[in-house]
């Protein structure tokens, strides 16, 4: 079963023989496909049941595959690398990934959101438009009755250049490109670099 295709459609990550993850595709500077076993022990999917295999998540950007195993551990493998990359967020368990071609968000069991990748429109929600090379936690805040408190995230989603986080009580935060109001804000086309609630006018009764 192919789990993810990345690197301009030239490389695949799949669950193969022995319930281990394999990379299939072109080795850098090679002209023919090569099958490469990801040898590191951490990549073995020690599946005791079909539910373990079904719990594996793989998403990614154009240049990087991201794998969450059934132990909720997050790993990365770059397109230009033939072997295992590295484990990301070793102190956290990840329950959901969201990716565009250029950035990603990871949601942890503690309701925290981490982001990295390209950030030219503020789609990482970190308060600036700088590219980030390491997963960085968002400062999520919700304002209720004029009081700002930390928010517990429950769902993340990525557009091509904007992002959405749903928090407890179904509250919503958006950030990134807003030229066609995809963040739900009347900002005259300006990007939003911090997580911001969309403008939702009250319905007439």
């Amino acid at each position: 079963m192919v789990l993810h295709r990345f690197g301009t459609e030239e490389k695949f990550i799949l669950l193969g023989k022995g319930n281990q993850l394999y990379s299939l595709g072109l080795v850098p500077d090679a002209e023919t496909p090569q099958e490469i076993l990801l040898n590191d022990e951490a990549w073995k999917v020690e599946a005791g049941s079909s539910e373990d295999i079904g719990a594996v998540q793989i998403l990614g950007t154009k240049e990087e595959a991201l794998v969450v195993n059934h132990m909720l551990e997050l790993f990365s493998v770059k397109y230009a690398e033939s072997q295992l990359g590295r484990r990301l967020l070793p102190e956290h368990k990840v329950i959901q990934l969201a990716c565009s071609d250029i950035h990603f968000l990871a949601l942890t069991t503690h309701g925290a959101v981490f982001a990295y990748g390209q950030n030219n429109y503020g789609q990482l929600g970190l308060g600036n438009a700088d590219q980030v090379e390491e997963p960085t936690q968002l400062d999520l805040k919700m304002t209720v009755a004029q009081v700002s408190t930390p928010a517990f995230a429950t769902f993340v989603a990525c557009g091509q250049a904007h992002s959405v986080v749903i928090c407890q009580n179904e509250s919503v935060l958006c950030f990134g490109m807003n030229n066609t109001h995809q963040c739900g804000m009347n900002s005259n086309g300006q990007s939003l670099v911090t997580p911001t609630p969309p403008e939702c006018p009250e319905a007439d009764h």
Side-chain angles (χ1 to χ4, degrees):
M1 177 178 63
V2 174
L3 296 177
H4 183 67
R5 180 178 64 186
F6 70 119
T8 61
E9 303 183 1
E10 294 177 346
K11 199 166 188 177
F12 297 84
I13 296 290
L14 56 91
L15 195 61
K17 182 179 179 181
N19 295 330
Q20 295 187 51
L21 290 171
Y22 288 80
S23 171
L24 179 64
L26 290 178
V27 178
D29 302 322
E31 295 181 356
T32 57
Q34 307 277 332
E35 184 178 281
I36 306 160
L37 172 63
L38 299 171
N39 292 311
D40 195 285
E41 290 290 320
W43 278 74
K44 289 185 178 179
V45 180
E46 300 292 349
S49 66
S50 60
E51 286 77 11
D52 289 342
I53 297 174
V56 174
Q57 300 179 55
I58 292 198
L59 286 176
T61 65
K62 284 183 177 180
E63 299 300 328
E64 180 177 11
L66 299 158
V67 180
V68 176
N69 66 17
H70 67 285
M71 298 295 291
L72 304 182
E73 298 167 330
L74 175 62
F75 297 92
S76 161
V77 61
K78 300 283 189 178
Y79 170 63
E81 298 172 354
S82 59
Q83 298 297 323
L84 173 71
R86 60 193 175 113
R87 183 176 175 187
L88 304 177
L89 304 177
E91 302 300 320
H92 299 271
K93 300 291 188 179
V94 173
I95 56 174
Q96 190 209 343
L97 294 175
C99 298
S100 73
D101 286 341
I102 57 175
H103 78 292
F104 94 89
L105 302 180
L107 173 64
T108 75
T109 53
H110 291 95
V113 177
F114 291 80
Y116 90 94
Q118 293 188 30
N119 190 38
N120 47 327
Y121 296 101
Q123 62 263 43
L124 300 186
L126 300 174
N128 55 57
D130 300 330
Q131 183 167 329
V132 175
E133 300 294 340
E134 295 290 335
T136 303
Q137 185 173 353
L138 276 65
D139 182 17
L140 299 176
K141 301 278 186 165
M142 296 300 303
T143 300
V144 179
Q146 298 184 338
V147 177
S148 180
T149 59
F152 186 99
T154 59
F155 183 82
V156 292
C158 291
Q160 184 57 34
H162 75 288
S163 306
V164 177
V165 176
I166 298 178
C167 300
Q168 74 272 32
N169 302 322
E170 298 184 356
S171 53
V172 177
L173 296 169
C174 303
F175 40 97
M177 180 182 283
N178 191 51
N179 61 333
T180 57
H181 308 291
Q182 54 266 61
C183 289
M185 299 290 289
N186 184 17
S187 64
N188 297 320
Q190 293 182 342
S191 299
L192 305 174
V193 297
T194 57
T196 305
E199 296 174 343
C200 297
E202 296 182 3
D204 294 331
H205 296 286

